[in-house]
Amino acid sequence: MLIGELAKLAGCEVETIRFYEKEKLLSAPERSASGYRHYRSDHLGELNFILHCRSLGISLAEIRQLANFRADPSLACEEINQLIDQHIKSVHQQLESLRLLEQQLLTLRQRCQHSSDAAHCGILQTLVQAAEGEPCACHGALPSQTAN
């Protein structure tokens, strides 16, 4: 099959396939005399594997590791477990960062309760003051930080 057909079957863009080939995550296809890539069904399996991993937020480096295990199924899976455990830990850290960001934005939003012009917008004033080096309400002590 040609690259467009592979892209359609996998539900991705042609450029995505080219990127994964360049990154050596997707094995190189054979080429015709005229230079067209010709893919086999195993390329679709590889591509779907990559796309599924990416949908889970797994990095390219981690996908390389998982692909090595996929290529040699006799290997012990402890490293796979550790990789996923580390990924879960990273997701927890991202969630905590997002919760903090949400609190900061909520605090910032409270600075402007009524519609008016930009000159009197509490949000804009807070952002400008922070840019000028003054303490800012959104990065001050948050309720979760003062609960001790």
Side-chain angles (χ1 to χ4, degrees):
M1 76 184 95
L2 297 176
I3 195 167
E5 295 171 81
L6 180 62
K8 185 175 181 179
L9 288 171
C12 70
E13 300 293 323
V14 167
E15 288 304 314
T16 301
I17 296 170
R18 289 187 181 126
F19 174 77
Y20 290 141
E21 279 181 37
K22 182 181 165 205
E23 290 293 317
K24 304 221 184 301
L25 286 171
L26 185 63
S27 60
E30 299 207 7
R31 291 191 178 253
S32 67
S34 57
Y36 287 101
R37 295 171 169 99
H38 286 279
Y39 297 90
R40 300 176 313 273
S41 61
D42 57 323
H43 285 106
L44 179 58
E46 288 178 21
L47 183 55
N48 283 335
F49 178 81
I50 294 165
L51 294 171
H52 189 182
C53 289
R54 292 299 296 144
S55 76
L56 296 169
I58 297 173
S59 72
L60 299 183
E62 293 167 331
I63 293 172
R64 279 189 189 85
Q65 290 177 278
L66 293 169
N68 289 335
F69 283 96
R70 185 174 184 225
D72 187 356
S74 67
L75 295 172
C77 72
E78 183 57 31
E79 285 183 53
I80 297 170
N81 293 338
Q82 291 173 359
L83 185 147
I84 296 302
D85 288 344
Q86 184 59 41
H87 194 62
I88 292 167
K89 181 178 178 184
S90 174
V91 168
H92 285 172
Q93 291 169 342
Q94 291 170 13
L95 286 169
E96 189 55 39
S97 293
L98 286 172
R99 284 186 197 100
L100 176 60
L101 176 59
E102 177 187 36
Q103 287 301 311
Q104 291 169 328
L105 290 170
L106 289 169
T107 300
L108 184 61
R109 179 60 182 95
Q110 291 173 354
R111 304 295 288 185
C112 188
Q113 297 295 321
H114 306 288
S115 294
S116 90
D117 57 22
H120 296 95
C121 177
I123 294 171
L124 187 59
Q125 289 173 357
T126 300
L127 293 172
V128 169
Q129 290 168 349
E132 293 171 350
E134 294 181 34
C136 100
C138 53
H139 286 90
L142 297 172
S144 62
Q145 295 173 327
T146 58
N148 292 341

